[in-house]
Amino acid sequence: MKKFLSIALIAVLTLSALAGCGNSSSSSSGSAAATPAASEGGEAPAEKKVAKIAVYAPLTGDHAEYGNSFKVAAEIQAEKWNAAGGAGDYTIEVVSYDDKSNGEEAAAIAEKVVMEKDIMGIIGSYVSGVSMAATPTFQEYGLVNISASASHPDFTKEGDYIFRNNTVISVEGASTVDAVVNNLGAKKIGLLYIKTDWGVSTSTIIENLVAERASEGVSIVAKEECMDGSDDYSVAITNFQAAGCEAIIVVGMHNTFVPFARQYRQLNPEIGLAAFANLYNQQVIDLGGEFVEGTVFPVSYFNESTDPLVAEFRDAFFEKTGTYPSGLAAQAYDAAGMLCEAIANVGADRAAIRDYVQSIKYVGAGGETSFDEMGEAQKVFKKVVIKGGKFELLA
């Protein structure tokens, strides 16, 4: 009889223990992200933690279109990873900050972000000079910063946590100059540059690139500076005309290029125009219309590509925004992909993520990208022309 009672008691205690285990599991959600429900009768998936990717960029102001496109692109990448089950043990969350294209704002954001221990990397900002106000802090605290747009030659010199998924301006500029000489057939070149740190340094680089082609009879015959986003270029246009310019290279964003092209083409419809990858933006065609026809510039990403990785991003971006992404948005998308891949492989460890990104060979919407020892992206540029209200690849 005592033996029977002992067996019954053990059975009761075992059932109680099993019930207790069940209660404990169902109430331990904590701050971790929700995971997909287990299939009926299957084993519940392991609960995932959250790893964050930050975006700092101008979300308001003149450059807000670019900043918001970076934010949307990073969110699309995170959604893609999360839909596929997450990045290893982590669900990816994107947090964004508006630096208003202002260096002081960017520096303050950097001070805040580096103290958020669940942020594993940061993308941004848009303008090189603004970004470089924040990079010293990212480097000091060991947080990977990947810029999708910075082209200032000194950007990555801050340290080994600073990367750019955008080639240095000397490589991009060489493609611009080549398009002016070989596609526009111009030898007398005018140079218009915005009066910013990036504008001044880039104009010098373009001058040097053109000087290297002096044996072809190519030269800069006039150089004019302007304020970023100015709406009056009459003095510069007069000087370019007096110098006999056949084409103008515009070192500036679309808020400078479009009004300049409109004013110049009203006076001289035959003037050749060239710029940089930041011109791959539907607003340039929408705002510039006939005045930007024939403009040439280089890109590393092209929406009309038949590559399925391009189509996947292009269609997802269009679904969210109603517009097609720029090349810079694609670079932000790939930058987020690199951070997701790093987190999936090495976990939420900032130093290990840095090492992973340094050695990555990432295949994304912008083709294959790797970084040299200075954190500079290695990419191949294509040349584009605006023709018939569309962007077309040049041979």
Side-chain angles (χ1 to χ4, degrees), residues 143-156:
L143 180 67
V144 168
N145 177 203
I146 306 178
S147 172
S149 56
S151 59
H152 192 290
D154 293 339
F155 175 74
T156 61

Side-chain angles (χ1 to χ4, degrees), residues 4 11 21 26 105 124 127 129 173 193 195 198 242 247 249 306 324 357 369:
F4 172 77
C21 288
S26 63
E105 292 280 351
V127 176
Y193 65 98
K195 196 176 179 182
W198 175 80
I249 296 176
T306 58
Y324 291 112
V357 171
T369 301

Side-chain angles (χ1 to χ4, degrees), residues 44-96:
E47 195 168 32
K48 290 185 182 294
K49 294 166 282 188
V50 171
K52 295 180 180 177
I53 295 173
V55 175
Y56 76 116
L59 304 179
T60 56
D62 287 344
H63 301 146
E65 182 194 357
Y66 294 102
N68 283 296
S69 74
F70 293 177
K71 173 177 175 289
V72 170
E75 290 171 346
I76 291 171
Q77 188 67 264
E79 290 166 6
K80 174 183 171 182
W81 278 82
N82 292 338
D89 295 332
Y90 297 87
T91 293
I92 301 298
E93 182 180 325
V94 174
V95 291
S96 57

Side-chain angles (χ1 to χ4, degrees), residues 80 124 126 151 161 196-197 240 251 285 295 307 313 333 371:
K80 174 183 171 182
Y126 172 59
S151 59
Y161 277 81
T196 65
D197 188 31
F240 286 141
V251 181
I285 292 177
T295 299
D307 185 331
F313 170 57
Y333 174 72
F371 295 101

Side-chain angles (χ1 to χ4, degrees), residues 35 76 121 148 183 207 224 254 283 306 334:
T35 55
I76 291 171
N183 296 100
E207 282 187 295
E224 297 289 330
H254 83 277
Q283 275 206 342
T306 58
D334 283 350

